[in-house]
Amino acid sequence: MEIYLNALFGIYNQSGFAGLSWGNLVMIGVASILLYLAIGKGFEPLLLVPISVGCLLVNLPLSGIMEEGGFLKYISFGIEHEIFPIIIFMGIGALTDFGPLIANPITFLLGAAAQLGVFIALLGAVALGFTVKEAAPIAIIGGADGPTTIYLAAKLAPHLLGATAVAAYSYMSLVPIIQPPVIRLLTTKQDRKIRMEQLRPVSKKERILFPIVSTVVAGLILPASVPLIGMLMFGNLLRECGVTDRLSLAAQNEVLNATTIFLGISVGATMDATVFLTPATIKIILLGLVAFAASTAGGLLLGQIMKVLSGGKINPMIGAAGVSAVPMAARVVQRISQKEDPGNFLLMHAMGPNVAGVIGTAVAAGVMLTLLS
């Protein structure tokens, strides 16, 4: 009998139950909630399912999956060395039509105004006791830009990578919930019914020159932005040049999909209970919410000014799309406009500031890297 008991005790000591802590249980619960939001509610499943699984795996004790030689340890090299975020930017560029931005360049200003939350969060993070280098990736959450948040955190505050990445991607997935109340607060029913004139056609020459010129200008003015802006524009050039269709399709599909899987699992793997369950994480999540709401408000307020200056020809709602969540924010604007007026089509108008927001957040990250590195 004693032999059997010793054997059972030995098996128990080698099982995950022996190393299971209350923190692991909490994080397994968090992973379950994220999976429910992704699968049950459809909130950004392509992002949240891999993140949730990564969180689940890293919180199963004694697996060794994140130790030296473990699978996730090797995969995490891609976020620790900023490889995955930059490849994601290439894929976004290949997927995105920059035509609405080229056709209506004034929407660049709406993308810039939507960076308001970035700077509010930066000041708020410093006020809550974070260093300036820690505050920078926290602030980028306000732009609703997961890859840029990861890129900046890996450069300036690697220990905050998990919390900032999860906050950024969570708020990206919650765009359809967070933005509508802010839009309704800062616009009237008549504002939301404004119809905008059809955008002018954009020539192929303009589409090809735009990514090339943007890369050169951004690179000369702000060299630190080259990895993000350069690969974003490279992806778009593959899309628009007309002679690299196979590469463009690969960037949009196989390359982007595979990178998204590894990025998500790697982000989830940073959610180990001992690192994630801290007061700093709660502060980051709250600051991220404030930053995202403020960024939406910043775009809307400039949209209101542009509405007045244009004599009522610009619908101020398109300013809300100035955050980097492409194309989710633009779709939110379209959905709200059609609730007020089923015949109103603002999607392409909203895509201009939406694309500008991606560029604006990358530029903001470049500025922070330049000043803080």
Side-chain angles (χ1 to χ4, degrees):
M1 185 68 178
E2 184 178 347
I3 295 174
Y4 289 116
L5 289 175
N6 287 336
L8 288 172
F9 189 67
I11 291 172
Y12 172 79
N13 281 338
Q14 294 180 51
S15 73
F17 290 105
L20 197 64
S21 67
W22 70 268
N24 295 136
L25 292 173
V26 170
M27 294 311 298
I28 290 171
V30 169
S32 302
I33 292 170
L34 292 177
L35 282 171
Y36 169 73
L37 292 174
I39 300 171
K41 296 296 184 180
F43 291 161
E44 282 305 299
L46 298 182
L47 296 172
L48 288 188
V49 170
I51 289 174
S52 304
V53 171
C55 176
L56 190 65
L57 294 176
V58 81
N59 282 287
L60 295 176
L62 309 181
S63 70
I65 198 166
M66 268 298 284
E67 295 175 5
E68 197 64 41
F71 172 72
L72 286 185
K73 184 68 175 177
Y74 286 118
I75 296 299
S76 295
F77 183 91
I79 57 171
E80 292 169 1
H81 296 271
E82 310 101 43
I83 297 170
F84 294 156
I86 293 174
I87 295 175
I88 293 286
F89 256 67
M90 179 185 69
I92 292 171
L95 280 170
T96 305
D97 180 5
F98 284 8
L101 179 60
I102 300 169
N104 192 11
I106 197 171
T107 55
F108 259 116
L109 298 177
L110 293 171
Q115 305 308 311
L116 174 66
V118 171
F119 296 101
I120 287 177
L122 182 70
L123 297 174
V126 172
L128 288 176
F130 291 98
T131 67
V132 177
K133 285 190 174 184
E134 291 172 331
I138 296 171
I140 292 295
I141 297 170
D145 191 331
T148 307
T149 300
I150 292 171
Y151 180 78
L152 206 58
K155 287 276 192 182
L156 299 178
H159 57 290
L160 296 182
L161 185 58
T164 53
V166 170
Y169 278 115
S170 296
Y171 291 130
M172 283 176 66
S173 67
L174 294 174
V175 163
I177 293 175
I178 297 172
Q179 282 203 314
V182 181
I183 292 172
R184 293 190 179 94
L185 179 66
L186 296 177
T187 60
T188 66
K189 192 176 183 69
Q190 291 306 311
D191 288 337
R192 297 192 287 273
K193 286 185 175 181
I194 293 174
R195 295 191 178 192
M196 296 179 65
E197 296 177 2
Q198 187 173 352
L199 293 169
R200 70 171 179 84
V202 178
S203 69
K204 184 172 181 177
K205 183 183 290 186
E206 288 177 290
R207 291 177 179 274
I208 293 173
L209 285 175
F210 180 78
I212 298 170
V213 173
S214 298
T215 300
V216 173
V217 171
L220 292 176
I221 294 174
L222 200 62
S225 69
V226 167
L228 295 176
I229 295 292
M231 291 305 289
L232 176 72
M233 296 303 169
F234 170 61
N236 190 249
L237 184 62
L238 292 177
R239 172 194 176 95
E240 303 294 355
C241 69
V243 294
T244 55
D245 289 347
R246 285 173 57 190
L247 299 183
S248 176
L249 290 173
Q252 294 176 38
N253 295 288
E254 293 87 358
V255 175
L256 181 59
N257 291 339
T259 306
T260 300
I261 290 171
F262 294 133
L263 174 73
I265 291 178
S266 299
V267 168
T270 65
M271 297 171 66
D272 180 82
T274 56
V275 177
F276 196 83
L277 294 178
T278 65
T281 300
I282 297 173
K283 292 178 185 178
I284 289 168
I285 291 172
L286 292 176
L287 280 167
L289 178 60
V290 171
F292 184 60
S295 289
T296 302
L300 287 166
L301 292 173
L302 183 59
Q304 289 287 11
I305 294 171
M306 291 173 67
K307 178 196 76 173
V308 174
L309 295 177
S310 68
K313 294 181 179 179
I314 292 178
N315 189 315
M317 275 203 304
I318 67 171
V323 297
S324 297
V326 178
M328 290 173 285
R331 288 175 180 166
V332 168
V333 171
Q334 171 68 11
R335 195 175 301 122
I336 294 175
S337 71
Q338 292 209 310
K339 280 185 179 178
E340 304 290 354
D341 177 4
N344 196 3
F345 296 94
L346 288 179
L347 181 62
M348 295 312 293
H349 294 284
M351 279 301 296
N354 211 179
V355 173
V358 176
I359 298 171
T361 306
V363 169
V367 170
M368 291 177 182
L369 279 175
T370 300
L371 296 177
L372 300 177
S373 293

